[in-house]
Every structure is written in C-alpha cells, then in structure tokens.
Amino acid sequence: MLKTLAYALLLIVVLLSVGLAAVWLYLRTPDRPAAELERRYAGADDHFIELPGGLRLHYRDQGDRLRPVLVLLHGYGDSYATWEAWGQALQDRYRVISLDLPGHGLSAAPADYLLDADALAALVVDVATRLGLPPFVLAGNSMGGGVAWKVALLAPQQLRALVLVAAAGWPAPTQGQSPSLAFRVLQHPIGRWVLARIDNKPLIAQGLKAQVYDKGLITEAVVQRWADYQLYPGHRPILMSVPPGSHSQATAEKLAAIRLPTLVMHGEYDPLIPVDNSRKFAAAIAGARLITYPQVGHLPQREIPARSAADLRAFLDTLP
C-alpha cells in the first residue's frame, strides 16, 4: 500500500513537472530583431543617436527646427508613442522631441542597464547638449515626470519650463491604491524573472486598462505596440531589473529649489499615482499651476489628448 502511494505521488510530481515545463516552453518568447521593429514603427521623423556605454537612443523630432523646443519623456514601460497626439497638436508652433528612454520603445541599451532616475536625468541633459538644443520646455509622465524634475534640479539653465504629468517621485502610500496585476507581479524578484522571459501581452492589456478611465481607449493596436517594444532586444531584462516606483526621492525641500515656470497635470482617476502627489508637487514648486481632470486616469496625454494639449499650449503661450 505504501509503495503504491509512493508511486502515485511520484507520478503526480512527474506529470506536474512535465506540465509546468510545457507551459514554460509555450510562454517563453525570444526577442524580436531590432531591425524588424524599426521597419515597422519608425518613420521619417524618427532618428537615433549613439551614446557611450552601448546606448543607441531613439527619438521622434517633429516641427520646424527653428521653433521653441518641447522635449517629452514617457513613463515606465511606455514609449515615445504615448505623445503622438501631443506631437501632432503642437508641432505647428513647437519643435517637439519625444525621447525613448533606455529599455523602452526603439532605444537600444545593454541588458544590464539600470533604470535609475538620476542617471536618466543626466542622460537627458547629455542628449540635449549633443543635439544642440536651446533652453527647452521639458515634460514628463509618470517615471518620465520623475526624471523631468530631476533634470530641473540638475541643469535648470537648460530649461525654459517644466511640465509634470502624473509625475513619479513621492513615496508610495502604504494603502489606498489598487495597482494592476502586472504591477503587483513586478514587486517580486521571481515575478520579474519570469516576466523578463515571456511575452507579457496579456498583462500589458490588463495593466493599461487598469490605468485609464475609458477602457475602450486601450485597443488591440495599442497593446500590441507595447508588447512589441518589450520584445526589443534587451528590453525585458532592463524593465524587470527593478520594481517600478523604487526611486521615490521627492521632498518639499528639494523641490523648492526649482525656480522654473511649472505646469502640473493629473487625472483624478489615477490608480497608480495618487492625484494628491501632484498637489504636493504644485505646493512645493513656487508658482506652479495645477490642473486635475475628472474621469481621467494615469495617461492624460492618451486619454484626453486634445484637452490636455490645449492646456499645455495655453501654458506655453505664457512663457517669455
């Protein structure tokens, strides 16, 4: 009897192991060739710049080169594509540069590149210098907003103004948020290890829909593009190297040093970054203007592109 039970348990273990191995082999997805993704998504306005450390950064450059410059920084896991509507709306009067940070979009980086907000801020300053940009307006969403305010502290002489869209930086609250399944998985090392090796399209779809008020905005094309960019060589290890939100360093004392015209924008439905965080940014930066949007989530530039772009244009029109 005991021998029969042992054989049965062994059989169950073997079957489970075989089943898990089959699932793993099914889910595991190789990177897609960079050239293939560039052919599919890059156009006439897309450019690349080679930087030290094996970086090849992609950026979209729209509008007349002699116009005032607006530089846009996306959030964690996102890309320059998040700003497409803003670029179309503003390129008539501005030179709009939307940059892909390392590990995102079409920007190539070594697989061991570490997403550190201070290093990314220095990178943005370096890119602006290499492109010969005059003082420019810098806007960032989420992680990109966290990088943007660090640039404002690092090199204020290179900026005309600062725009923070649901910006990262303040320590996350211990309760009150309901992050998506994808963000919960990203908090654990084993989860990040798995996500660095599979096609994350289902989690991307769930995560994006959790971020917005109108779920219909997250179309199959939007999800597929996000998923494709994650399969760019080296991107998944970079994205999964640290949990999102791990570089929260904002304080009122630090931000008080920013003396730039500042616009702060935030959707009131945001489940990732509380709208109160943007109120803190606006209170800490002297003269900052705050705009909040009801029934809008974490991505105002995607959810209400015309309205948010119009608000940005109105702000830009006040600059000297």
Side-chain angles (χ1 to χ4, degrees):
M1 181 66 180
L2 289 176
K3 182 180 288 188
T4 301
L5 181 59
Y7 280 134
L9 290 174
L10 178 61
L11 179 60
I12 292 172
V13 170
V14 170
L15 290 175
L16 284 174
S17 299
V18 171
L20 290 173
V23 171
W24 174 249
L25 290 174
Y26 175 77
L27 292 176
R28 190 170 185 179
T29 306
D31 289 334
R32 295 180 62 179
E36 173 190 330
L37 294 172
E38 290 172 15
R39 282 195 302 270
R40 180 171 184 179
Y41 291 112
D45 292 328
D46 294 278
H47 307 275
F48 297 85
I49 181 171
E50 302 286 344
L51 297 172
L55 299 178
R56 181 175 183 261
L57 291 196
H58 163 259
Y59 62 98
R60 178 161 287 179
D61 195 342
Q62 300 167 275
D64 193 298
R65 301 300 185 268
L66 299 179
R67 291 173 180 156
V69 179
L70 170 64
V71 175
L72 305 172
L73 305 178
H74 59 77
Y76 174 87
D78 208 338
S79 70
Y80 70 99
T82 198
W83 303 111
E84 286 184 330
W86 275 21
Q88 290 296 322
L90 297 166
Q91 66 176 330
D92 62 324
R93 290 180 57 187
Y94 299 91
R95 178 185 178 185
V96 183
I97 298 175
S98 43
L99 179 67
D100 272 338
L101 298 172
H104 295 75
L106 299 174
S107 284
D112 61 353
Y113 185 90
L114 181 63
L115 286 174
D116 174 80
D118 292 304
L120 291 173
L123 180 69
V124 171
V125 172
D126 185 26
V127 170
T129 301
R130 290 172 183 268
L131 293 180
L133 300 183
F136 57 92
V137 177
L138 181 61
N141 170 234
S142 196
M143 179 185 77
V147 175
W149 63 259
K150 286 181 174 288
V151 173
L153 293 173
L154 177 66
Q157 73 282 358
Q158 291 194 240
L159 300 186
R160 292 180 63 216
L162 178 66
V163 181
L164 303 177
V165 185
W170 296 99
T174 56
Q175 57 184 0
Q177 286 185 291
S178 299
S180 67
L181 175 61
F183 273 76
R184 291 200 297 272
V185 173
L186 284 167
Q187 302 305 315
H188 302 282
I190 294 176
R192 295 197 298 275
W193 185 90
V194 172
L195 295 182
R197 290 160 176 81
I198 66 173
D199 184 348
N200 295 307
K201 186 176 177 180
L203 281 179
I204 290 170
Q206 191 270 342
L208 285 173
K209 288 179 180 179
Q211 293 182 36
V212 300
Y213 183 83
D214 181 359
K215 314 305 180 187
L217 294 172
I218 307 304
T219 63
E220 171 65 20
V222 169
V223 174
Q224 187 62 58
R225 193 169 184 178
W226 268 65
D228 284 347
Y229 288 152
Q230 278 205 9
L231 295 177
Y232 191 101
H235 278 17
R236 285 175 293 177
I238 294 172
L239 290 170
M240 309 311 162
S241 61
V242 292
S246 60
H247 300 295
S248 299
Q249 303 170 4
T251 66
E253 292 74 22
K254 283 185 182 180
L255 295 167
I258 297 176
R259 300 297 182 183
L260 295 163
T262 300
L263 173 64
V264 182
M265 312 168 84
H266 208 126
E268 296 176 7
Y269 180 77
D270 191 339
L272 292 182
I273 297 179
V275 67
D276 280 347
N277 285 19
S278 278
R279 295 189 178 104
K280 293 177 184 177
F281 277 115
I285 300 172
R289 180 188 177 193
L290 172 67
I291 303 176
T292 65
Y293 302 102
Q295 298 186 341
V296 175
H298 189 59
L299 307 169
Q301 70 276 11
R302 283 185 181 269
E303 299 176 67
I304 49 167
R307 181 178 173 186
S308 57
D311 287 339
L312 174 59
R313 183 189 289 269
F315 168 73
L316 296 176
D317 286 347
T318 67
L319 299 180

